[in-house]
C-alpha cells in the first residue's frame, strides 16, 4: 500500500511539473481562441482551422561566424593592439 501511494505521488508531481509549461501548440490555441472572440458557428470553425494551421513567422537567420567576423572587423576600425584584441574577443563572443 505504501509503495502504491509513493508511486502515485511521484506520478502526480511529475504530471504537475510537465503541465506547468504550455507547449507551442497550446500557446497557439490560446492565441487563436482569443482572436476568434465574437465569431460563431462555421465562421469560427473556419477561422480556427486557418489560424491553427498557419506556420509561425520565420525567425531572422543567425549570423554566420564569417559574417560576424566581417562585422566585428568593420566595427574595430581605428582600434590597435590590446584594445583591438579585447574588442574583437568581446564582439565575437556575443551571440
Amino acid at each position: 500500500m505504501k509503495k502504491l501511494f509513493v508511486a502515485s505521488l511521484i506520478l502526480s508531481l511529475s504530471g504537475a511539473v510537465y503541465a506547468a509549461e504550455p507547449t507551442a501548440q497550446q500557446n497557439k490555441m490560446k492565441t487563436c481562441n482569443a482572436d476568434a472572440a465574437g465569431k460563431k458557428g462555421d465562421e469560427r470553425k473556419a477561422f480556427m482551422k486557418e489560424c491553427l494551421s498557419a506556420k509561425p513567422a520565420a525567425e531572422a537567420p543567425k549570423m554566420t561566424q564569417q559574417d560576424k567576423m566581417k562585422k566585428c572587423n568593420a566595427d574595430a576600425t581605428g582600434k590597435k593592439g590590446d584594445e583591438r584584441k579585447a574588442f574583437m574577443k568581446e564582439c565575437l563572443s556575443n551571440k
Side-chain angles (χ1 to χ4, degrees):
M1 187 69 173
K2 205 175 199 182
K3 288 180 183 180
L4 182 61
F5 175 73
V6 171
S8 65
L9 181 64
I10 290 172
L11 285 174
S12 66
L13 289 177
S14 65
V17 170
Y18 178 75
E21 293 183 37
T23 64
Q25 184 64 23
Q26 288 170 326
N27 286 335
K28 194 175 199 182
M29 184 69 169
K30 185 177 180 181
T31 302
C32 291
N33 226 359
D35 293 346
K39 294 177 175 35
K40 295 190 185 299
D42 289 338
E43 181 187 10
R44 180 183 174 82
K45 226 187 245 186
F47 175 82
M48 290 297 285
K49 181 178 180 179
E50 180 69 29
C51 183
L52 292 172
S53 65
K55 301 284 185 220
E59 292 181 24
K62 284 191 171 185
M63 195 181 265
T64 64
Q65 188 64 24
Q66 187 176 8
D67 291 338
K68 194 185 274 191
M69 187 69 169
K70 285 179 185 176
K71 183 183 180 326
C72 291
N73 256 334
D75 293 347
T77 303
K79 294 177 173 50
K80 296 189 186 279
D82 289 338
E83 180 187 11
R84 181 183 173 85
K85 190 186 271 187
F87 175 80
M88 290 297 285
K89 181 178 180 180
E90 177 67 26
C91 184
L92 292 172
S93 68
N94 287 340
K95 293 181 167 87

